[in-house]
Amino acid sequence: MKSTFSILWLTSRPSSGSKAVIALPAVAFALVTALLLIVLAGGLSFFTNPAQDDEFGTAGAYQMLAALAVSLMVLPILTLGGSAARLSARRRDERLSTLRLLGATAALVSVMTIVESTVIACVGVLAGVVLYVAALPAIALIPFQGQALGLDKLWLPANVLVIAAAALILLAAVSAAVGLRQVVLSPLGVRTRQTAPTVHWLRLALGGVAAVGLYAVMSTAMSSPSLAIVVVMVCGGFAGGLAVLNLMGPFVLKWLAGIGLRRAQTPVKLLAARTVLESPKAAWRQVSSLSMTSFIAVIAGTGLALISAAGESSNPAEMYLTGDMRTGVLITVVASFLLVAASAGVNQAAAVLDRRELYVSLDRLGMPRSVMDAARKRAVMSPVRLVTVGSAALAVILLFPLTGAALFFAPLSLVVIAGVLACGIGLVRLGLAASTPVLGKVLAQ
Amino acid sequence: MNTTILSARSLSKRYGDGIALNNVDLDIAAGESVAIMGASGSGKTTLLHTLAGITSPDAGSVNYAGTEVSALNETQRSKLRREAFGFVFQAGLLIPELTAIENVALALMLNGVPRRDAEAQSAGWLAHLGLAGMEARRIGELSGGQAQRVAIVRAQVTGARIVFADEPTGALDSHTSANVMSALLAATAGRGNTLVLVTHDPTVAARCSRTLYMHDGVISLAPAAHPDATPPPVAHPVSTQDGSTFMQNQNWAGQP
C-alpha cells in the first residue's frame, strides 16, 4: 500500500504541464456541484413549511412541478458529473497505461485511477459548495407566488448537502473505474489507440422499436383525464425519450459522419468527420446534454403555448401558478443551457490539451491555426446541429397531442422553441470559443 | 557545385541564461543531405527549428531561395513551411484518427489540391515506399517503421524542396532505422531535394553527405569530446548513392 501511494505521488504531483490535467476536471466538478445544489435547493424550497405558506391551496401543484423540474435537471447534471470523472481518468490514461506496460498490476492502476479522480472530485465539490453559497443571494431574488424566494428557504439542510456531495464523489470514483477499465484490460489498446471503434447498427434498430413503443404508450396515456397520470407520463416520456436518444445517438452520428467523410473536400471537413468517427460514443456524450436541452425546449415551448392559449385567469392563485410555471420553465431551460456550455468548454479545452503534441506538430507542418480551430469546432457543432434538430423532432412526436394543440392555439410556441434552440447552439459556440485561447497557448509554447 | 538553397547568417538564440545558438553561419546546397549531431542541449534542434522558420532567432537571418525567412510574419512562415518545406518528427506525429492515405493527402489538400487528386498522388507515393495495401490503415495499425515512412511521404508529397527531420529514426530499432533512412534519403536527396536532419545516431549521420556538430550553440566540423557526439563510422559514406539504390530497388525512379 505504501508503494501504491509512493507511485501515486510520483505520477500525480502537479508540474507546470499537468496543472490543467487537474484543474479542468476540478472546474467541471465545481460547476456540476454548484448546479446540483442550486437545483436541489430550488426544488426543496417548495417543500419548506408548505402548510404555513399555502395561502392559495396550491402547494401540492408547486411541489409536483418542482419535483418535475428537479427530475429534468438531475440526470443531465449527473451525466456531466460522469463526463468530468471520465475526463479526469482519461487525461491520466496514457501515463497509467505506460505504468501498466512497465509491469504495474491491474489492481495498482485501478487504485491509482480511483484515488486520483476522487481527490480531484473532492476539490471540485468543495469549490462547488462555495459557488452554491455565493450564488444564493441572486437566486433568492427570484419571485414565486408574488414574493422573492428568500435566502432562508434556499439553505439546504446539512444532511442533504452531505448526501449530494458524497453522491458526486462516489459518481467520480465509479466513473473513473469504468473509464479506465480498458487500460486494465489491455494496456496496449489505450497506449497506441489502435483498436478501431465500433458502434453496432443494432442500436438503431432497438432505438426505433423503443421509440415506436414509447409513442404508443404516450398517446394512450395523454388522453387520461387525470392530471397526475399526465404528469407521470410526461416524466416517463422524458426519461424514455432520453434513453432512446442515447441508444440511437452514437450510431446516427457515426452514420452521418461516414457520409460527411466520403463527401469531405476540405481539410476541415475531413478532420471533423474523422474526429467524430474516432469515437461516436464520445462525440455523442459531448453533446448528449444538448439533446436534453432540446427536449426540454420543446416541452417548455409547448407548455408556455398552452398556458397562453388558456388566457389570463382572474383567480390570484391560478395567476401566480401560471406566471410561476413560466418562471420555472425559464430557469430549467437556462440551467440546461449553462450545463451544455460548461460541458462544451471543459471538454474542448481538455481535448486541445490532450492533443498538445499533435497540434504543435501540425502547426510546424504549416497547417493554419484557423484550420485546426475550425476542424475541432466543426467536430462538435455538426453533432450539435443533428442532436438539436433530432431531439426536438423526437420530442414533438412523443408529445404530439400536446404539441399539435400548442401549434394550433398558439403559434408563438414555435418562435419560443426556435429561439430557445438558437440560444442553445449559440451557447455551445460560446463554450467552444472559450477554449480557443487554450489552442493559442498550446501553440505558443 | 549546387547552388545554395538555405543559408543562415549570425544566428543567435538564447533561452533564459542558456545559449542555444551563438553567431551561427551555415550554407546548405540544393540536393545535400546534412546531419546535425551534438549532445543534448547543444542547440541542434533549435538550429533546425530556426532554419525551418518554426522559431525566430534573437539575431541574425535565414534565407531560403532568396526569401528572408526571419523577416516573414507567422502566417507567411506557416505558408512557407506548408508549401516549400517538409517535416519528419521522431514520433511521426501523424493524425491518429486519419488513415495512412488521408494523413498524406491532407498535406496536399492544405495546398488546395482536390481530395481525389490528393489521394491518387498519395497512393502512388505510399506504394513506392512499400506501403501498398496499407492506405486504409489507421496509424495505430502500422508498425513504427511503417508510420515513419508515411511521415516521410507526407513530408515529400507536396514537392517540398527541403525536408527537416528531427531524430527521424530515434524511436526505431537498428534494422528498421536503416530502412527508414534509406527511404528518407531516396525521397529527398535521391530526387535532388535537400535533407537536414538532427540525429544522435552516428550510423544515420554517416549516410548523409555532410555532418555538422553542435557544441554550446556553435557549429564545428569535428565532434566535441562528448559521448553523444562520437564521429560517424565511414562504412556507408555516400547518402545520395544509397538513395538512388533504394529508388532502383523500389522501381520508382522519377516517381511520382
Side-chain angles (χ1 to χ4, degrees):
Chain A
M1 186 53 85
K2 192 181 173 188
S3 63
T4 301
F5 284 100
S6 301
I7 295 172
L8 186 61
W9 169 246
L10 275 173
T11 58
S12 304
R13 59 185 173 184
S15 63
S16 59
S18 68
K19 280 176 188 161
V21 175
I22 296 169
L24 277 170
V27 166
F29 264 108
L31 288 171
V32 167
T33 307
L35 282 168
L36 179 65
L37 295 180
I38 290 167
V39 166
L40 284 178
L44 287 176
S45 70
F46 294 99
F47 292 83
T48 311
N49 301 322
Q52 185 186 327
D53 295 344
D54 197 10
E55 185 183 340
F56 303 111
T58 51
Y62 274 92
Q63 287 170 0
M64 193 168 67
L65 291 170
L68 178 63
V70 170
S71 71
L72 288 177
M73 294 305 306
V74 165
L75 192 60
I77 289 173
L78 294 182
T79 304
L80 178 57
S83 297
R86 274 191 297 275
L87 178 69
S88 174
R90 183 166 56 86
R91 313 222 48 236
R92 292 281 185 183
D93 67 2
E94 283 243 335
R95 192 175 301 186
L96 293 176
S97 55
T98 301
L99 276 176
R100 181 96 171 87
L101 284 171
L102 290 173
T105 63
L108 175 64
V109 168
S110 301
V111 168
M112 287 175 64
T113 307
I114 293 167
V115 171
E116 278 184 6
S117 297
T118 308
V119 168
I120 292 169
C122 285
V123 173
V125 166
L126 281 176
V129 172
V130 174
L131 263 178
Y132 151 71
V133 173
L136 280 189
I139 294 164
L141 297 176
I142 297 172
F144 275 101
Q145 292 184 307
Q147 55 186 332
L149 263 176
L151 264 179
D152 54 330
K153 281 188 179 176
L154 289 171
W155 285 112
L156 279 172
N159 57 347
V160 175
L161 196 70
V162 170
I163 289 169
L168 282 174
I169 291 166
L170 182 68
L171 175 75
V174 171
S175 296
V178 171
L180 273 194
R181 192 180 47 190
Q182 197 183 358
V183 176
V184 176
L185 291 176
S186 167
L188 277 171
V190 172
R191 191 73 188 84
T192 62
R193 296 182 193 283
Q194 62 191 185
T195 313
T198 52
V199 177
H200 207 278
W201 61 268
L202 263 176
R203 281 174 166 268
L204 190 67
L206 287 174
V209 171
V212 171
L214 205 57
Y215 174 76
V217 174
M218 292 286 290
S219 302
T220 311
M222 280 298 181
S223 56
S224 167
S226 163
L227 179 64
I229 290 178
V230 170
V231 169
V232 166
M233 288 318 297
V234 167
C235 291
F238 181 80
L242 201 71
V244 169
L245 284 172
N246 282 328
L247 194 63
M248 298 168 77
F251 181 84
V252 175
L253 278 188
K254 180 191 166 194
W255 178 57
L256 289 175
I259 293 173
L261 176 71
R262 285 191 290 280
R263 291 182 180 172
Q265 287 300 324
T266 64
V268 169
K269 288 179 180 172
L270 177 67
L271 285 167
R274 276 291 183 199
T275 304
V276 175
L277 284 171
E278 174 69 8
S279 178
K281 287 179 192 169
W284 174 258
R285 265 201 304 274
Q286 186 153 288
V287 298
S288 62
S289 45
L290 195 66
S291 77
M292 182 74 71
T293 306
S294 190
F295 219 76
I296 290 171
V298 171
I299 295 169
T302 306
L304 283 170
L306 291 175
I307 290 166
S308 303
E312 285 292 317
S313 169
S314 55
N315 181 337
E318 286 181 10
M319 276 175 63
Y320 281 137
L321 187 60
T322 306
D324 291 347
M325 279 174 72
R326 213 175 266 135
T327 307
V329 161
L330 193 64
I331 291 170
T332 308
V333 173
V334 166
S336 302
F337 284 169
L338 281 174
L339 271 172
V340 177
S343 175
V346 170
N347 279 326
Q348 276 302 300
V352 169
L353 290 168
D354 279 346
R355 299 163 66 89
R356 178 195 309 256
E357 204 181 4
L358 182 64
Y359 278 122
V360 168
S361 76
L362 293 175
D363 182 51
R364 287 178 183 170
L365 292 172
M367 181 182 281
R369 290 180 190 193
S370 56
V371 171
M372 292 182 226
D373 209 34
R376 72 185 184 86
K377 284 179 178 170
R378 186 181 173 89
V380 177
M381 291 312 296
S382 298
V384 160
R385 281 192 290 272
L386 168 77
V387 164
T388 306
V389 175
S391 304
L394 195 60
V396 166
I397 293 166
L398 288 175
L399 294 174
F400 181 68
L402 291 179
T403 47
L407 182 64
F408 183 77
F409 292 114
L412 183 66
S413 62
L414 286 180
V415 177
V416 172
I417 292 170
V420 162
L421 296 184
C423 283
I425 290 171
L427 266 169
V428 179
R429 277 194 174 278
L430 274 180
L432 287 174
S435 63
T436 298
V438 179
L439 179 62
K441 201 174 168 185
V442 160
L443 296 183
Q445 282 172 351
Chain B
M1 178 71 185
N2 286 332
T3 53
T4 299
I5 191 168
L6 188 67
S7 64
R9 291 289 172 270
S10 308
L11 282 184
S12 292
K13 181 77 180 176
R14 297 179 74 98
Y15 292 110
D17 292 335
I19 299 174
L21 297 177
N22 188 3
N23 210 29
V24 170
D25 289 322
L26 177 64
D27 287 309
I28 294 174
E32 258 197 304
S33 54
V34 179
I36 304 171
M37 295 190 75
S40 296
S42 60
K44 54 188 187 303
T45 296
T46 303
L47 176 61
L48 189 86
H49 286 183
T50 310
L51 292 173
I54 293 168
T55 303
S56 295
D58 296 337
S61 63
V62 174
N63 189 294
Y64 162 72
T67 302
E68 202 62 47
V69 178
S70 36
L72 301 176
N73 63 30
E74 179 54 41
T75 307
Q76 291 167 325
R77 278 188 286 149
S78 181
K79 186 170 186 285
L80 179 71
R81 292 199 297 269
R82 190 166 63 244
E83 294 176 351
F85 299 163
F87 294 87
V88 180
F89 305 104
Q90 179 176 355
L93 289 176
L94 297 155
I95 301 175
E97 298 93 328
L98 301 188
T99 60
I101 197 167
E102 287 167 350
N103 263 288
V104 177
L106 189 69
L108 288 165
M109 290 168 73
L110 282 168
N111 286 330
V113 178
R115 184 175 173 188
R116 183 187 293 264
D117 296 344
E119 292 198 339
Q121 288 183 46
S122 304
W125 270 93
L126 287 169
H128 288 298
L129 250 72
L131 295 167
M134 298 183 188
E135 297 88 348
R137 289 199 190 173
R138 289 152 48 86
I139 301 307
E141 295 169 327
L142 298 174
S143 70
Q146 288 167 341
Q148 206 60 327
R149 276 186 278 164
V150 173
I152 291 168
V153 173
R154 180 178 68 174
Q156 269 291 271
V157 73
T158 56
R161 294 178 65 191
I162 303 182
V163 169
F164 296 93
D166 192 354
E167 295 277 8
T169 59
L172 306 174
D173 63 71
S174 58
H175 178 70
T176 311
S177 168
N179 282 339
V180 165
M181 204 46 211
S182 296
L184 183 57
L185 285 165
T188 53
R191 304 178 70 239
N193 291 325
T194 307
L195 172 67
V196 183
L197 77 91
V198 161
T199 183
H200 277 104
D201 186 347
T203 57
V204 167
R207 299 182 64 180
C208 294
S209 57
R210 183 155 58 122
T211 301
L212 305 172
Y213 301 90
M214 291 288 291
H215 180 66
D216 290 342
V218 177
I219 289 182
S220 65
L221 295 175
H226 190 284
D228 272 2
T230 49
V234 290
H236 310 286
V238 185
S239 61
T240 47
Q241 191 177 7
D242 270 7
S244 305
T245 306
F246 183 85
M247 287 169 70
Q248 286 158 12
N249 289 343
Q250 297 296 316
N251 191 27
W252 68 303
Q255 255 290 333

